[in-house]
Amino acid sequence: MAVFLTSVSSVLVIVLIMALGYILRANGWFADSFAGNISNLITKIALPASIFTAVMKFLTRDKLVSLSQGVLFPALGVIIGYLIAWLVVKVLKIKPGRRGIFMNAIVNANTIFIGMPLNNALFGEKAMSYFLIYYIINTVSTWAFGIFLISNDDPTVDKSKQTNKQKINWKKVLPMPLVGFIVAIIWMLLGIPVPTFLGNTLNYVGALVTPLSLIYIGIVLRDAGLNNFKFERDSILALLGRFVLSPVILILLIKFGLHTGFDLPALMRQTLVVQSATPMLAVLPILADEAHGDVEYATNVVVMSTVLFIIVVPVLMAILQFI
């Protein structure tokens, strides 16, 4: 019960800051371009800075080796998630324009704008190294494969006449947060000391991530409209996949790993499972629009998952006591 109440308290902090962004946007404090501006600030500057400082603070060469086995579990979870999502698409005949969105909704999480602030609120900075494990897998999954599924699901394209193949966009496979992680790993392995002035600057800038991310989500929710919920079959299936199937797969993999001798710290297990149940990618509607997909469906599932995760997280935290 204590864990449940702690989880509720942590989520309430997140909800209140999101509500601040929602209310300020509703009252005209933020221009239409502000969400895009704040998104760029977070993803291209603040988050790389935060990840760099976290790596330098919480990772060592020995710990990096010990964490490498943790990568296996979210990676397998992603692969299994894609296979199950693909089977559901085939069996239940999800219509073109929704298929790529549906598979991404089940497998890939919003690790940047919700996953990271949620992780900090629930577990603190000491869990940052474990968060980075999930972040890497999720980023590669999204931009190396997930975006291909959406692009290849363009309902306006005649597949029988399509000859040009989708290419991997390496700029998106290596976004700035991931670049920040790679630079930090190299810096750490080389044993280069971080000058005090640089370390303090990165700490201050990195501290912007959590509050700005939550304010951003509040703005997005206000613009999308909370009255746009449509609990149709495909939306419910996507929500079940994100909030039930994805964490269940990871829990089973972790339980199997523990029985076979893998040494997975409790905090790592909790972090990976919570990240697997965070809401859907905030960029899904944008990707759907670029591929002439069902933008309304993409917006619908993103908004619903962002709101419903408030209920999911405390329940999940209570379940984690038994893992």
Side-chain angles (χ1 to χ4, degrees):
M1 186 64 180
V3 174
F4 182 83
L5 292 176
T6 301
S7 303
V8 171
S9 177
S10 298
V11 172
L12 281 177
V13 173
I14 293 173
V15 171
L16 288 175
I17 301 176
M18 287 170 56
L20 176 63
Y22 185 97
I23 293 169
L24 293 180
R25 173 59 174 160
N27 284 277
W29 281 43
F30 301 139
D32 293 342
S33 61
F34 184 74
N37 296 336
I38 203 174
S39 174
N40 284 329
L41 174 60
I42 293 168
T43 57
K44 296 178 181 178
I45 298 177
L47 189 55
S50 177
I51 289 175
F52 182 91
T53 56
V55 169
M56 301 308 296
K57 185 176 181 180
F58 297 108
L59 284 185
T60 61
R61 296 179 185 181
D62 293 337
K63 192 168 185 179
L64 186 62
V65 174
S66 66
L67 287 176
S68 60
Q69 66 176 357
V71 174
L72 176 65
F73 296 93
L76 286 175
V78 163
I79 294 171
I80 295 171
Y82 274 127
L83 290 174
I84 295 176
W86 178 80
L87 286 174
V88 172
V89 166
K90 292 296 182 182
V91 172
L92 298 182
K93 295 180 170 51
I94 305 294
K95 66 182 183 180
R98 288 188 174 187
R99 295 170 181 172
I101 298 168
F102 180 83
M103 287 187 277
N104 272 273
I106 290 177
V107 177
N108 297 317
N110 191 345
T111 54
I112 292 180
F113 293 112
I114 292 184
M116 187 174 181
L118 173 65
N119 206 65
N120 287 338
L122 293 177
F123 308 120
E125 286 190 334
K126 60 183 180 294
M128 177 58 75
S129 57
Y130 303 135
F131 165 80
L132 293 174
I133 293 174
Y134 197 92
Y135 168 76
I136 293 170
I137 297 298
N138 189 76
T139 299
V140 174
S141 169
T142 300
W143 299 113
F145 188 65
I147 192 172
F148 169 81
L149 294 175
I150 295 176
S151 300
N152 201 46
D153 188 38
D154 190 333
T156 65
V157 175
D158 187 344
K159 297 298 187 297
S160 63
K161 298 179 180 179
Q162 189 178 11
T163 55
N164 59 317
K165 296 181 179 180
Q166 297 291 333
K167 296 181 180 179
I168 295 175
N169 187 335
W170 290 106
K171 289 183 179 179
K172 290 186 175 180
V173 175
L174 291 173
M176 283 305 296
L178 189 55
V179 170
F181 175 76
I182 295 171
V183 170
I185 291 295
I186 295 173
W187 198 296
M188 179 196 67
L189 293 176
L190 292 176
I192 304 172
V194 180
T196 302
F197 75 90
L198 179 60
N200 289 340
T201 300
L202 293 175
N203 277 324
Y204 283 127
V205 174
L208 296 173
V209 171
T210 299
L212 289 184
S213 296
L214 297 176
I215 288 173
Y216 170 83
I217 289 294
I219 295 171
V220 170
L221 288 176
R222 177 65 180 85
D223 290 342
L226 295 179
N227 58 342
N228 288 334
F229 281 19
K230 292 182 181 179
F231 285 97
E232 56 179 342
R233 186 200 67 166
D234 292 354
S235 297
I236 294 173
L237 288 173
L239 290 168
L240 289 174
R242 180 92 292 270
F243 289 139
V244 179
L245 177 65
S246 184
V248 164
I249 290 173
L250 200 48
I251 288 172
L252 292 177
L253 287 171
I254 288 173
K255 296 286 282 186
F256 178 77
L258 291 174
H259 285 300
T260 54
F262 281 88
D263 181 21
L264 301 176
L267 189 57
M268 176 191 284
R269 301 197 299 266
Q270 293 174 346
T271 297
L272 294 180
V273 173
V274 168
Q275 289 302 312
S276 72
T278 47
M280 299 162 192
L281 292 164
V283 296
L284 272 184
I286 298 173
L287 299 177
D289 184 55
E290 291 177 352
H292 307 103
D294 192 334
V295 178
E296 183 179 350
Y297 172 69
T299 303
N300 190 43
V301 293
V302 169
V303 172
M304 285 196 293
S305 68
T306 302
V307 174
L308 293 177
F309 99 100
I310 298 168
I311 301 171
V312 171
V313 172
V315 175
L316 189 60
M317 287 297 293
I319 295 173
L320 286 179
Q321 298 177 77
F322 306 100
I323 298 177

